[in-house]
Amino acid sequence: QVQLVESGGGLVQAGGSLRLSCAASGIRFSTAAMGWYRQAPGKQRELVARIRSDYSTNYADSVKGRFTISRDNAKNTVYLQMNSLKPEDTAVYYCHITYMDYWAEGTLVTVSS
């Protein structure tokens, strides 16, 4: 049974940092590309960052230089380190397994100005 458990969301002031974690089970994690997406109120869900099995990454232009995606295959966990947060980063953040198109429930990140 596939499961994704997210943690790390919350409220932070502009300029602050948060780290999101997503622990996976029921999949061959080390071979899976993993992504973080977000959806702000009234907007479409968008890709924030993705990391592949070879550790290559890609980012949305809006977060380049501020966010870092990483993975720990020993812990079956993918992370999203978010620095220099802005109010426009406020959204529900979702962890995603690319090859299965499987979504986590989402965690809310709120950045106050």
Side-chain angles (χ1 to χ4, degrees), residues 38-45 87-92 108-110:
R38 66 186 181 187
Q39 187 166 17
K43 295 189 176 181
Q44 289 190 328
R45 193 172 297 188
E88 51 263 44
D89 294 317
T90 295
V92 177
L108 178 62
V109 172
T110 303

Side-chain angles (χ1 to χ4, degrees), residues 3-112:
Q3 190 172 19
L4 294 174
V5 179
E6 296 177 323
S7 61
L11 174 64
V12 63
Q13 288 188 331
S17 298
L18 282 175
R19 189 177 81 155
L20 305 182
S21 300
C22 174
S25 59
I27 63 169
R28 291 185 64 184
F29 182 82
S30 63
T31 65
M34 301 292 296
W36 285 99
Y37 287 72
R38 66 186 181 187
Q39 187 166 17
K43 295 189 176 181
Q44 289 190 328
R45 193 172 297 188
E46 63 175 357
L47 175 67
V48 176
R50 180 182 290 121
I51 185 166
R52 299 169 187 81
S53 57
D54 64 358
Y55 292 85
S56 63
T57 59
N58 61 282
Y59 295 90
D61 288 343
S62 59
V63 307
K64 283 181 181 176
R66 300 189 298 122
F67 291 11
T68 302
I69 189 171
S70 62
R71 65 191 300 156
D72 185 338
N73 288 344
K75 296 182 178 180
N76 284 5
T77 300
V78 61
Y79 304 96
L80 185 68
Q81 177 67 44
M82 304 184 292
N83 298 329
S84 302
L85 282 160
K86 304 175 181 180
E88 51 263 44
D89 294 317
T90 295
V92 177
Y93 285 71
Y94 298 90
C95 180
H96 180 253
I97 305 171
T98 302
Y99 80 93
M100 295 182 66
D101 193 22
Y102 187 90
W103 297 91
E105 291 187 353
T107 186
L108 178 62
V109 172
T110 303
V111 184
S112 63

